[in-house]
Amino acid sequence: MDRRWLAALVDAMEQAARPEVRNVPCDVSLISAATAHLARPAPTFAHCASAYSLRN
């Protein structure tokens, strides 16, 4: 398996954890957009559902 995505994720998390990055205030419009996004109901993905189950 290709693990480059995991390395990129770790790099991004390490970058975001740096104090000089964490001390920069976040844009209010970004916080509002994230709050609105998280307030929506979770998708059900019914169009991708399968009639089969792992318990069959």
Side-chain angles (χ1 to χ4, degrees):
M1 291 176 60
D2 187 7
R3 295 187 181 171
R4 286 181 284 186
W5 68 270
L6 181 58
L9 177 63
V10 170
D11 289 342
M13 292 177 75
E14 287 176 348
Q15 173 70 18
R18 292 177 38 213
E20 60 271 15
V21 173
R22 292 186 67 190
N23 291 333
V24 175
C26 190
D27 185 7
V28 175
S29 63
L30 291 176
I31 294 172
S32 301
T35 302
H37 179 77
L38 293 173
R40 293 188 301 207
T44 59
F45 299 110
H47 64 283
C48 297
S50 173
Y52 300 100
S53 170
L54 293 176
R55 291 181 280 176
N56 289 349

